[in-house]
C-alpha cells in the first residue's frame, strides 16, 4: 500500500514542516489537491504552493487536478515539480488529448472519477494511463465521510485492470476503514484529515502499519 497524505488538511503556515513529518514517518507520496472553484465549489491553491516545497522533499508529488479544462495548466504543474498528474474524466471533453499532453511531459498520468460517475466512462482510457483515482467523497473538501457505494466500483475496477495497476482511493479514509479499502483492491490511499489533524508522524505510521503490518 502506498499512502499519499493530502496537504489540503495541513497547516499552510508550516507546510514544509508538516510534509517533512509525514515523509520522516514513512510516506512515499504526497497528494496535492488543486481546485478552481468551478469544477468543484471550493478554491484551494495553485502550482506555486507546492513549488515552494519541491526542493525540500523527495516524495512523489501526486497532483490531483479538480479543475475544468486542465490542459490549460499542465505545463505549469509539471514545471512546479509534479511527478504524476491526475485529471477528472468529467472535467473536459478532450480526455484523450489531456492524457497525451501529460504523457508528453514524462510524468505519470492518472484519471479520476467522481462517486456518481460510472466505471464505463473511464474504461476506454485505461490502456493510456498509469492510475485510476476513485473518488470516495464528492470532491471539494477534506474531512468528509467515506461513501460506501463506491466499494463495488473499486472491486470491479481491480478485476478489470489486474494486479499491476495503481488504483487510488481518495476521500474519507482513516484508521478505521483503510484496511477494508485496500482489501477491496485499492493500492494507493489518500488521507488528508487522518494524517494532518493530529500527530502527523504517529498518524502516518499507524495508517501504514494498519495495512502493511
Ligand atoms: C477532496 C480531495 C481529497 C481530500 C481528502 O476533494 O480530493 O484529497 O483532501 O481529505 P480527507 O482524507 O480528509 O477526506
Ligand atoms: Zn484529492
Amino acid at each position: 500500500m502506498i499512502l499519499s497524505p493530502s496537504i489540503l488538511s495541513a497547516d499552510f503556515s508550516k507546510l514544509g514542516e508538516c510534509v517533512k513529518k509525514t515523509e520522516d514517518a514513512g510516506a512515499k507520496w504526497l497528494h496535492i489537491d488543486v481546485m478552481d472553484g468551478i469544477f468543484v465549489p471550493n478554491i484551494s491553491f495553485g502550482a506555486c504552493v507546492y513549488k515552494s516545497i519541491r526542493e525540500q522533499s523527495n516524495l512523489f508529488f501526486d497532483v490531483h487536478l479538480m479543475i475544468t479544462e486542465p490542459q490549460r495548466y499542465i505545463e505549469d504543474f509539471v514545471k512546479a515539480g509534479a511527478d504524476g498528474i491526475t485529471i477528472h474524466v468529467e472535467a473536459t471533453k478532450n480526455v484523450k488529448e489531456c492524457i497525451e499532453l501529460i504523457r508528453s511531459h514524462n510524468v505519470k498520468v492518472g484519471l479520476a472519477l467522481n462517486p456518481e460517475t460510472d466505471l464505463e466512462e473511464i474504461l476506454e482510457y485505461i490502456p493510456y494511463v498509469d492510475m485510476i483515482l476513485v473518488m470516495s467523497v464528492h470532491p471539494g473538501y477534506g474531512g468528509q465521510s467515506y461513501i460506501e457505494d463506491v466499494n463495488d466500483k473499486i472491486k470491479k475496477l481491480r478485476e478489470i485492470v489486474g494486479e499491476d495497476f495503481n488504483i487510488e482511493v481518495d476521500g474519507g479514509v482513516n484508521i478505521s476503514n483503510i484496511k477494508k479499502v485496500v482489501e477491496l483492491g485499492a493500492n494507493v490511499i489518500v488521507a488528508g484529515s487522518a494524517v494532518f489533524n493530529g500527530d502527523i508522524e504517529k498518524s502516518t505510521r499507524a495508517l501504514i502499519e494498519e495495512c502493511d503490518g
Side-chain angles (χ1 to χ4, degrees):
M1 190 273 298
I2 298 167
L3 183 70
S4 194
S6 166
I7 57 169
L8 193 61
S9 298
D11 178 348
F12 281 82
S13 70
K14 35 187 176 183
L15 184 59
E17 209 180 291
C18 291
V19 169
K20 188 172 182 320
K21 280 186 182 165
T22 193
E23 188 166 3
D24 287 349
K28 299 281 182 274
W29 286 30
L30 189 70
H31 190 78
I32 297 169
D33 286 308
V34 179
M35 305 176 184
D36 66 355
I38 297 171
F39 182 71
V40 289
N42 194 15
I43 296 176
S44 59
F45 51 78
C48 59
V49 167
Y50 68 89
K51 187 169 189 257
S52 67
I53 52 167
R54 179 67 282 186
E55 277 179 18
Q56 304 164 22
S57 175
N58 290 315
L59 293 168
F60 179 96
F61 277 14
D62 166 33
V63 176
H64 177 195
L65 297 183
M66 285 160 277
I67 67 175
T68 196
E69 303 299 344
Q71 57 275 37
R72 297 174 296 150
Y73 294 104
I74 298 302
E75 201 177 331
D76 291 356
F77 288 116
V78 172
K79 280 190 184 151
D83 294 298
I85 295 181
T86 296
I87 58 157
H88 268 260
V89 70
E90 308 90 355
T92 175
K93 285 198 169 69
N94 303 306
V95 175
K96 189 74 196 305
E97 185 192 294
C98 282
I99 290 171
E100 281 165 5
L101 180 62
I102 298 170
R103 179 79 67 209
S104 75
H105 288 286
N106 289 318
V107 296
K108 299 284 183 196
V109 190
L111 185 64
L113 74 167
N114 284 338
E116 63 278 10
T117 302
D118 286 341
L119 213 43
E120 282 64 37
E121 304 287 325
I122 55 109
L123 294 183
E124 64 180 294
Y125 304 112
I126 289 175
Y128 310 105
V129 300
D130 303 294
M131 180 171 87
I132 298 292
L133 186 164
V134 177
M135 286 303 305
S136 45
V137 296
H138 297 292
Y141 301 93
Q144 303 180 74
S145 298
Y146 182 90
I147 298 171
E148 299 285 338
D149 286 355
V150 304
N151 289 350
D152 280 352
K153 200 188 268 183
I154 300 168
K155 246 191 189 164
K156 252 189 225 157
L157 183 59
R158 179 54 76 196
E159 282 166 22
I160 293 168
V161 297
E163 269 179 38
D164 294 324
F165 188 90
N166 285 338
I167 299 178
E168 182 172 47
V169 171
D170 183 6
V173 181
N174 54 45
I175 196 72
S176 58
N177 62 3
I178 189 167
K179 202 167 185 174
K180 189 181 168 204
V181 178
V182 168
E183 281 165 5
L184 287 166
N187 69 309
V188 184
I189 299 289
V190 177
S193 43
V195 167
F196 291 105
N197 291 0
D199 184 324
I200 298 171
E201 285 168 292
K202 217 169 143 190
S203 305
T204 301
R205 280 203 195 95
L207 288 162
I208 294 172
E209 273 166 23
E210 181 70 11
C211 298
D212 295 351

